[in-house]
Amino acid sequence: MLLPANNAAAAAAPATCIQQPSSPASPPPYKSVVAPLSPQGGTLDTLDPNWQACKASVRERNAAMFNNELMSDVRFVVGLEGQRVPGHKYVLATGSSVFYAMFYGGLADPSQQEIEIPDVEPPAFLSLLRYLYCDDIQLEPDTVLATLYAAKKYLVPHLARACVSYLETSLTARNACVLLSQSRLFEEPELSRRCWEVIDAQAELALTAEGFVDIDMATLELILRRETLNAKEAVVFKAALAWAQAECLRRELEPTAENQRQVLGPALHLLRLPTMGLSDFANCGAQSGVLTLQEVTDIFLWYTASTKPTLPFPTTPRLGLALQVCHRFHSAAYRSNQWRYRGRCDSIQFCVDKRIFLVGLGLYGSSNGACKYSVKLELKRMGKTLAENNTDFFSDGSSNTFQVYFENPIQIEADRHYTASAVLDGGELSYFGQEGMSEVVVGSVTFQFQCSSDSTNGTGVQGGQIPELIFYGSRVAK
């Protein structure tokens, strides 16, 4: 079969992406998108009728259809404001069983050209489509939860796992309670477990975080029941009141003490008010207004009377978390004039293979009789100070270690290097560690130590100061 001359030449020539001038014999120009767009969508003009030749793979050609009107056969009306997003049924159905059922299942309606999705915000829906069209995952802190919801709704498990992994990586005390609430909603037990680790260890930070007041009632009750919550009961009580105030506003109620008690309901009696110190209860719980006069009277009697009244509140303190200690020296020693403090820094670098929460450091004190020390503790990563604390401790002149603490536990991520430092001011002559170990296993956590360039007083892996790291972490042995 003979081709017309102009078509035969075109068939013989290799495909190119050079835009040819329009001519009467050329196909009419049209608009298309030939590259993935921003999450906000939009259109990009091209007059090239042979754009497919520029795409070397199926993935590239598929990606060109992302958020593109070209050949689209369905339109979504997304979010409360109704942003319109074009789609291609075949692409969507190959990536999601929900879309397949929607477009090709027994109840599919071929005439339906517009689908409303009011419960998914546009950025999250576009993140879902970007993955289905482009095999590309782009997650942002502000939209990752909404993207997880979309991935769960449309049964796209790989994207859902990526969202969970992102959330685990970005998990801190400031967002742990909110993520716990969401992980329960999305039925993600591993994310819930990670959230509980953070909430238990850094409870006071978690309970005073801005997002705590936004959690649901069921999650609030779980937190208030928690035995291993590592917080003073006065802090727990104030957090519950803050939640109650926010809940009143959500229900369009005046946030009076009476209404706060009403919205707390049974959760109020999960608070362990009798385990507060007497001063804390007098200044906090007794004057809050949410307790009845009889409850206040009975709790004061419970503190002071030999015959204690029955209370509707738990009377046993929370167990909290048990401290664990990593000892990095085999022994301690003292040799006259061998170890002195003169305002210099003792420092050691370490890393762990599992997430832990560093609580404080064990230190050596005076080898020349009892002595009081002032100490500045500091924790750094890549030169950035993560935590510091100026405190005191008393050394009795023995070779014992003396534990000093940061103000709050600090989250230590696996496989990252951190530097712990101490600058002491007090009796110059001190005990020091020897026979140091570069690797120590405590429970299921492996510590590795390296010398630090910050150390100006002789401390290193083999010997010196900072004999112990005090932490919360898993106790399960390998």
Side-chain angles (χ1 to χ4, degrees):
M1 177 179 178
L2 295 177
L3 296 173
N6 58 338
N7 288 345
T16 66
C17 295
I18 300 174
Q19 183 174 313
Q20 301 296 331
S22 299
S23 69
S26 301
Y30 58 87
K31 293 184 178 181
S32 71
V33 177
V34 296
L37 296 182
S38 68
Q40 288 74 31
T43 59
L44 180 66
D45 292 344
T46 176
L47 300 181
D48 183 6
N50 197 26
W51 62 266
Q52 296 91 335
C54 301
K55 311 300 178 186
S57 67
V58 173
R59 179 179 180 275
E60 288 180 283
R61 292 190 289 277
N62 226 31
M65 294 295 98
F66 169 60
N67 202 16
N68 191 344
E69 294 284 358
L70 178 65
M71 296 188 292
S72 67
D73 51 3
V74 67
R75 183 183 293 274
F76 299 96
V77 182
V78 184
L80 296 178
E81 296 184 1
Q83 178 174 326
R84 283 169 164 71
V85 178
H88 304 77
K89 293 180 180 180
Y90 169 76
V91 176
L92 299 173
T94 58
S96 162
S97 59
V98 175
F99 282 131
Y100 177 84
M102 187 183 297
F103 301 138
Y104 302 107
L107 299 178
D109 181 3
S111 65
Q112 187 179 24
Q113 299 298 312
E114 197 165 85
I115 298 171
E116 294 186 359
I117 308 179
D119 58 330
V120 179
E121 287 305 304
F125 191 72
L126 287 168
S127 292
L128 172 70
L129 264 57
R130 181 184 293 278
Y131 171 70
L132 296 178
Y133 280 82
C134 312
D135 200 23
D136 182 24
I137 298 175
Q138 295 185 15
L139 301 174
E140 299 293 338
D142 294 340
T143 59
V144 62
L145 280 172
T147 302
L148 175 59
Y149 173 76
K152 288 279 190 175
K153 176 176 180 175
Y154 292 102
L155 298 182
V156 184
H158 184 75
L159 178 59
R161 285 195 296 271
C163 291
V164 171
S165 178
Y166 182 96
L167 290 169
E168 289 178 354
T169 301
S170 60
L171 177 62
T172 69
R174 294 298 177 188
N175 62 14
C177 292
V178 172
L179 292 185
L180 174 65
S181 179
Q182 296 297 323
S183 67
R184 294 179 62 252
L185 174 66
F186 296 137
E187 298 182 340
E188 288 291 342
E190 181 60 21
L191 179 57
S192 293
R193 186 186 68 80
R194 294 292 186 96
C195 290
W196 278 124
E197 287 180 357
V198 175
I199 293 168
D200 280 343
Q202 299 179 299
E204 295 196 355
L205 290 176
L207 296 178
T208 56
E210 183 178 351
F212 176 79
V213 299
D214 297 323
I215 64 176
D216 60 282
M217 170 63 85
T219 302
L220 174 70
E221 291 184 350
L222 285 175
I223 291 173
L224 297 184
R225 292 180 191 275
R226 190 77 172 171
E227 278 287 340
T228 46
L229 207 60
N230 214 49
K232 295 178 181 177
E233 200 62 29
V235 174
V236 181
F237 180 74
K238 290 176 182 177
L241 291 189
W243 182 91
Q245 290 176 4
E247 182 67 7
C248 285
L249 297 177
R250 285 190 286 269
R251 298 188 190 184
E252 298 183 349
L253 298 172
E254 188 72 22
T256 62
E258 181 180 356
N259 285 337
Q260 289 177 49
R261 183 184 177 100
Q262 177 187 337
V263 298
L264 280 170
L268 176 64
H269 294 105
L270 299 176
L271 294 162
R272 306 188 182 197
L273 300 180
T275 69
M276 290 184 189
L278 178 58
S279 176
D280 279 344
F281 178 72
N283 292 306
C284 178
Q287 299 187 51
S288 65
V290 300
L291 303 178
T292 65
L293 181 59
Q294 187 63 56
E295 287 169 339
V296 172
T297 301
D298 286 348
I299 292 175
F300 274 124
L301 287 174
W302 194 91
Y303 280 117
T304 57
S306 56
T307 302
K308 299 184 183 299
T310 300
L311 298 177
F313 302 96
T315 58
T316 55
R318 301 178 194 275
L319 295 176
L321 295 175
L323 290 174
Q324 299 182 65
V325 181
C326 173
H327 306 271
R328 68 184 194 92
F329 296 127
H330 281 297
S331 62
Y334 163 69
R335 290 190 294 273
S336 179
N337 295 324
Q338 291 294 306
W339 198 272
R340 291 179 175 272
Y341 298 127
R342 293 173 178 160
R344 293 191 291 251
C345 179
D346 286 292
S347 184
I348 191 70
Q349 189 176 96
F350 71 95
C351 69
V352 291
D353 66 341
K354 290 181 175 64
R355 175 189 287 151
I356 65 168
F357 298 87
L358 187 67
V359 177
L361 307 177
L363 300 175
Y364 290 123
S366 170
S367 61
N368 194 29
C371 179
K372 181 180 178 181
Y373 283 95
S374 297
V375 58
K376 178 183 178 181
L377 301 182
E378 192 170 45
L379 182 73
K380 290 183 178 180
R381 169 164 161 72
M382 300 179 67
K384 179 182 178 182
T385 299
L386 303 179
E388 60 183 6
N389 191 28
N390 294 299
T391 186
D392 300 320
F393 72 93
F394 181 79
S395 169
D396 59 10
S398 72
S399 61
N400 295 332
T401 57
F402 303 93
Q403 296 184 342
V404 291
Y405 303 102
F406 292 100
E407 291 184 358
N408 292 290
I410 306 120
Q411 185 168 307
I412 304 296
E413 297 294 346
D415 303 319
R416 298 181 184 177
H417 287 88
Y418 297 82
T419 301
S421 303
V423 178
L424 280 79
D425 183 18
E428 287 190 358
L429 293 178
S430 169
Y431 287 92
F432 60 91
Q434 59 184 10
E435 300 178 275
M437 296 170 281
S438 60
E439 182 173 295
V440 181
V441 178
V442 182
S444 66
V445 183
T446 299
F447 290 78
Q448 292 184 327
F449 295 97
Q450 295 179 344
C451 294
S452 166
S453 59
D454 290 349
S455 192
T456 58
N457 198 41
T459 288
V461 173
Q462 296 302 316
Q465 181 59 278
I466 314 180
E468 296 170 341
L469 300 183
I470 308 162
F471 70 100
Y472 298 129
S474 172
R475 286 183 172 276
V476 180
K478 287 184 176 180

